[in-house]
Amino acid sequence: MALIVLSLFLLLFTFQLPFRSSGQSSSMESVPDLQHTMYASIEGYPCVRLLNLSGNIGCSSKFALAFSVPMNFPCFVVSELLDPGRDKVVAPIVRFGNVDKIAEPSAVLVSVEDFPTLFTRISDDSRFASKVSGVLVEPSTDLQNKINGFSPDQKFPQGQFAPYHNTGYEWNPIGSGVMWKSYNFPVFLLTESGSKTLQEFVTKNEDKKKAYTSNVAEFDLVMQTVKSGTLDSESCLKEETCLPLGGYSVWSSLPPINTSSLQQSKPILMAVASMDSASFFRDKSLGADSPISGLIALLAAVDALSHLDGLDDLSKQKCTSSPVTGNLRWLSSQLVFAVFTGEAWGYLGSRRFLVELDLHSDAVHGLNRGLIEKVIEIGSVGKGLSGGVNNFFAHTEGDSSASNQTMAALKRAQESLLSENIKIASASSSNPGIPPSSLMSFLEKNPAISGVVLEDFDSVFVNKFYHSHLDDLSNVNSSAVVAAASLVARTLYILASKNEDVHDSTLSTINVNVSLVEQLMGCLLDCDPGLSCELVKKYISPMSTCPSHYVGVILDEPSSTPYTGYINDVPRFIWNFLADRTSIPRETNSSGCQHGCNDRDEVCIKAETDGKGVCVLSTTRYVPAYSTRLKFESGVWNVLPPNSSEKMGVVDPVWTESNWNSIGMRVYTVQNAAYDRLVLFGGITLTIISYLAIATARTLFSKAMKRD
């Protein structure tokens, strides 16, 4: 009797166990096959933990939670940060539309459209926030036309660095500030493929879903700063559980500077742009309009100026005192181009660049800060097109006569383009000052310096997705970038000229390569072709295909000649591109530069592509970009006390990023706890029944034997 009951019970549960299709089961031949059958990896972009001197922002699971799982909810598991792979945190996934029904900690599956609403509620309702144990964000196509905008940054981004007092001004009125808060739960933006995989998995399992099974997702998100309890930059740097945000900026001169000359008397005319952006999700920081459109415009302007006749002769004169001919012989100023990184995190690149100038370091050899006369910054220019007209605004600061001269040059450049579709105007006088820009760093060092920031907006950002992952290729217009590059190239020519009256015939020879702009946009703002495009691969061997303009961390001791393996793809490409475009080739360069270049004023370009490279005469340098409050000593980063004479240093947050081992996510099907308890109680009941049945059978058997 007992054996019959036991057999029936086991048979019942055997048929109830969840399996994939029989075809899949029969094809399994190894443990990896079994894992592939059981688990589905989900691709996504994580929000990670960042720290500063006063605390931290970003995302991380902080506490191990234990709670029951409702029978009818799919679930996901989040790795307990203190011990990866153990003590999983399980929570049901609830769609955003059902969040009001949350009775216990849950993971919210939300669309990008509803993402701002969800995080506003999390910020405003602490009781609701305590029930959110994770967020999964579904991607959406053509979203720019569906919502009014989304910016997770502040209404005055980095207002503490402004050279004026009205820091309550709203340059970014749509800014919510959610990226500057700390969240004790993981947040992932799913990729298109990740979202598809998740939907297929859930749909497939819903078709054969049993009452006792749940779909779960497992997150591996181990933040070392949480593990060690180092919750600010100073403590985590001391314990080596984090690294400083930073990288390498690039600067170059046209024509190359003769660094062997003791007399560098020409005033410097600088054109600058930024190469880094930010967003809520670390690796989804494209920044198409803000600031990469300005970077592309600057690179295109450099390319246009590099084709001027006479560059070869001018450089030879600087080195050999030979006669000069051609269009560049009249230059009264030294053109210097700088592309800074880390600007989204406290203007790390521009501030460090100016410190290196004060230190006369090798990274800025050949430059003199006292000779910097004018600074023109190309900011956000990708949305200048409106009603068929490209409108740009010049935000000026500093010496009024020099600023007026720059404004006049911009107007002159506009007129020379002979197009009614390009307009330049001075920004409104009611603005409190210049918008957030690298120029703020220059003004802090020298308030009298003349500076102009070229933007596609007047009083408020026209970019409705500032510092959002939605500021992508679809958010900018190539014709606006071409127009901005044309204005900048001709303006620089006019300002650097000895002749006050530059002829239209001369300016007409300065033309921006439209196809180059389109190439750069495809390379730097999209995954197809992305960094695997021919232009980038002409100079470097990229480590990834999809571009991301997050600043990253500085991995080793800062150097003017860093190990290229520690430099991100984009800075390496920019360095090679600028070195090439501003260079003079050697008369004999067929041997390559495997053993270095002979002249100290030469650099080796394209070395990554063929292992040989080419030596060219160019003044192009890497400059470390990291907080001016940090110093690298004996292999350790130390925080320096603030210098009261340096306003920006006093308010510098000193941003760092937590270390981690790995980040990932996968989904699979499990039995829920209620079913496990049912099996347990069923087993106990069966054991008791079996025991009683056996005992009764023995008693009956004994009585029967005695009768016999």
Side-chain angles (χ1 to χ4, degrees), residues 39 83 95 223 282 317 338 341 346-347 408 434 472 520 593 634 660:
Y39 304 107
D83 194 359
R95 286 195 173 274
M223 294 288 136
R282 182 188 190 274
Q317 185 221 26
T341 192
Y347 302 111
I434 59 172
D472 57 20
L520 286 167
C593 47
S634 302
W660 65 75

Side-chain angles (χ1 to χ4, degrees), residues 171 289 380 383-384 456-458 460-465 475:
W171 289 104
D289 183 44
S380 306
K383 298 184 72 65
D456 55 16
F457 62 87
D458 184 3
V460 296
F461 294 171
V462 295
N463 181 9
K464 300 300 183 182
F465 303 100
N475 196 41

Side-chain angles (χ1 to χ4, degrees), residues 94-103 121 125 128 131:
V94 179
R95 286 195 173 274
F96 177 69
N98 298 322
V99 292
D100 291 332
K101 301 177 183 178
I102 292 179
R121 184 170 179 184
D125 187 345
F128 172 77
K131 296 180 180 180

Side-chain angles (χ1 to χ4, degrees), residues 4 81 93 110 116 122 192 251 273 296 327 364 372 462 576 637 652-653 658:
I4 294 174
L81 293 184
I93 292 180
V110 63
I122 290 173
E192 292 288 346
W251 72 272
I296 293 174
N327 288 345
V364 291
I372 300 176
V462 295
N576 278 272
W637 289 97
D652 187 349
S658 176

Side-chain angles (χ1 to χ4, degrees), residues 691-701:
Y691 175 78
L692 292 174
I694 292 171
T696 302
R698 283 180 175 177
T699 302
L700 294 174
F701 182 77

Side-chain angles (χ1 to χ4, degrees), residues 323-382:
V324 178
T325 60
N327 288 345
L328 288 181
R329 63 187 175 186
W330 41 261
L331 284 176
S332 63
S333 299
Q334 176 66 57
L335 290 175
V336 172
F337 310 102
V339 182
F340 299 123
T341 192
E343 297 303 273
W345 301 96
Y347 302 111
L348 300 178
S350 54
R351 290 172 54 218
R352 174 55 59 178
F353 175 79
L354 292 167
V355 167
E356 297 295 315
L357 282 174
D358 290 342
L359 296 174
H360 304 287
S361 72
D362 290 340
V364 291
H365 183 58
L367 292 182
N368 184 334
R369 184 169 70 84
L371 294 177
I372 300 176
E373 191 176 74
K374 298 183 182 73
V375 177
I376 297 178
E377 180 170 356
I378 304 93
S380 306
V381 295

